[in-house]
Amino acid sequence: MEESGWSLPPPSPPPSPSGLKLAAVALVSAFLGGLAAVYLSPLVPLPRRAPAPDARPAPRLEVQPVPPAVGGAPAVAVAEKVGPAVVGVASIEVLRDLFGGRLGRQTGSGSGVIFDPSGYIVTNYHVVEGADRLVVVLAGGERLEAELVGVDPPTDLAVLRVRAGRDLPSAVFGDSDQVRVGEVAIAIGNPLGLEFQRSVTVGVVSGIRSFLYGQSQEMERVTQLIQTDAAINPGNSGGALVNAAGQVIGINTFKVGELAVEGMGFAIPSNTVRRVVDDLVRYGRVRRAYMGVVFMEAAQAREVLGARVDQGLLLATVEVGQPAHAAGLRQGDVILEMDGTPVDRTLEAIRILEERRPGDRVRVRYRRGQEVRETVVTLGERPSR
């Protein structure tokens, strides 16, 4: 057979047993050396690469002084101005033990606002309701016995007085009729007890709401409340709702506490507070204007009585001897205007009366049959019932 010019290399001799041992030792040594490098490398300083000339320094969080414009924000100035005039109010129930001794037990707490340096304080009626004793805690922690000057459950307001022997810091009240939806509203009070006294929460005026309530129309009232999303919690009742100028525009009264509702607190407008407080200090009660009538809106008059009334308020009842009757108004007359303001809803008529005082005169335009007439009603005082 002729050779092809190339041939396979001779086979390698099989490795000897001693060569296999040397190879295995080498592999194990390399593996262990790798593990040692992994675990010991943090302990061995490595050469650090010099930063490039244009490299940025490591990031750093810096704290800078607060600018005066921020430190003097409205809430800060308001808290410093109004806070000293906001007090804690604790209601005490007096109990007697088996030996005739008297024991005091605190049954509730709320807030109040000093409105006169001589020690007059406005708070909520529900804060003082049922109390045997009342204790006021001033801003510095001083505790003073308080006397109850007067209460007005329909508006949830009450007036207290403490005698400190000196002038106390008092708050300035603003005109709530000028409050605008969306403006800053700051609540100051004592939520959840005196340990959180003069807490400050900030929000806005969310709305101005009118509510009509009462057991019967003769006792119905219209109350207007300021709605805010500034946090109001139990204990804030009776505290101040303040505008950015440091004026009290309302007295906090309640919040909607349903689980699905957040940020719906309400305050009694300062103008309502002023009228009620003036009467409570002067008379010990609130004197409200009274006509002696029961109104019925046109839709209800058509449905219930079949009356042909398209506008105005039907007089369903006119009390004999009361102001409306004395002015010539009679059952079945339809009130069209009161002091030049058209009235088609009971709420509108009652609001007008709420703004008047006993003895005020109200011009009434009304229709009797097909004839339109006018009269003047001199308002009386609503009887206490």
Side-chain angles (χ1 to χ4, degrees):
M1 183 175 172
E2 191 174 330
E3 294 184 355
S4 61
W6 61 274
S7 63
L8 294 173
S12 299
S16 65
S18 60
L20 289 173
K21 290 181 181 180
L22 291 174
V25 169
L27 287 173
V28 171
S29 299
F31 178 72
L32 292 176
L35 288 178
V38 170
Y39 285 101
L40 297 179
S41 60
L43 304 177
V44 179
L46 298 177
R48 306 182 72 174
R49 186 177 61 181
D54 58 345
R56 296 182 180 180
R60 182 183 177 189
L61 191 152
E62 295 184 359
V63 177
Q64 299 180 352
V66 177
V70 177
V76 176
V78 166
E80 294 174 349
K81 179 179 180 180
V82 184
V86 177
V87 301
V89 179
S91 57
I92 309 296
E93 180 183 10
V94 177
L95 305 174
R96 293 189 180 275
D97 60 22
L98 295 176
F99 304 99
R102 302 178 70 188
L103 303 173
R105 181 184 67 178
Q106 181 172 325
T107 57
S109 65
S111 307
V113 180
I114 302 173
F115 65 87
D116 186 89
S118 62
Y120 282 95
I121 299 165
V122 62
T123 185
N124 284 149
Y125 166 69
H126 75 259
V127 170
V128 304
E129 182 181 10
D132 295 318
R133 288 176 51 217
L134 294 166
V135 175
V136 165
V137 183
L138 302 181
E142 184 180 0
R143 302 172 72 90
L144 299 173
E145 290 281 338
E147 61 181 282
L148 188 61
V149 176
V151 300
D152 185 50
T155 55
D156 194 27
L157 289 172
V159 173
L160 313 177
R161 189 181 186 188
V162 295
R163 301 182 186 275
R166 65 186 186 279
D167 283 351
L168 297 175
S170 59
V172 175
F173 283 68
D175 183 357
S176 57
D177 288 343
Q178 297 180 359
V179 170
R180 296 176 299 171
V181 174
E183 71 173 88
V184 172
I186 302 167
I188 305 177
N190 306 315
L192 306 180
L194 299 178
E195 60 269 27
F196 297 104
Q197 57 187 328
R198 278 167 293 284
S199 291
V200 177
T201 56
V202 182
V204 299
V205 173
S206 305
I208 309 295
R209 311 298 179 192
S210 292
F211 300 90
L212 179 65
Y213 68 93
Q215 294 179 346
S216 66
Q217 194 185 86
E218 291 179 357
M219 301 302 293
E220 275 182 339
R221 297 190 61 259
V222 173
T223 186
Q224 194 174 67
L225 299 177
I226 299 173
Q227 179 186 339
T228 180
D229 64 348
I232 295 176
N233 294 293
N236 273 115
S237 295
L241 188 68
V242 192
N243 62 16
Q247 299 172 321
V248 178
I249 56 174
I251 296 297
N252 299 320
T253 181
F254 74 93
K255 65 173 288 187
V256 177
E258 298 180 13
L259 291 177
V261 178
E262 293 184 5
M264 289 190 69
F266 293 89
I268 305 159
S270 56
N271 287 351
T272 300
V273 175
R274 176 184 55 80
R275 289 194 297 268
V276 171
V277 163
D278 286 349
D279 272 7
L280 291 179
V281 171
R282 293 178 62 186
Y283 309 111
R285 70 182 192 282
V286 177
R287 302 175 67 232
R288 291 190 167 88
Y290 187 66
M291 278 185 67
V293 300
V294 173
F295 300 109
M296 183 177 287
E297 296 182 3
Q300 186 181 13
R302 291 194 301 268
E303 180 181 350
V304 176
L305 304 177
R308 306 177 79 176
V309 180
D310 296 323
Q311 61 177 338
L313 295 171
L314 177 73
L315 295 183
T317 300
V318 178
E319 294 184 48
V320 176
Q322 294 300 324
H325 187 270
L329 293 170
R330 297 294 182 264
Q331 183 178 8
D333 290 344
V334 177
I335 305 295
L336 302 174
E337 295 178 1
M338 297 175 67
D339 275 347
T341 302
V343 288
D344 291 309
R345 299 175 59 201
T346 300
L347 183 146
E348 295 164 349
I350 294 179
R351 180 188 292 125
I352 291 173
L353 294 177
E354 282 292 314
E355 295 172 353
R356 305 300 189 272
R357 311 283 288 176
D360 287 352
R361 294 159 62 87
V362 177
R363 181 169 51 85
V364 176
R365 186 167 178 264
Y366 67 100
R367 186 176 68 242
R368 179 176 293 170
Q370 299 300 317
E371 183 182 359
V372 175
R373 305 181 181 184
E374 285 193 4
T375 188
V376 175
V377 179
T378 301
L379 300 173
E381 181 178 346
R382 174 173 290 180
S384 176
R385 297 176 180 173

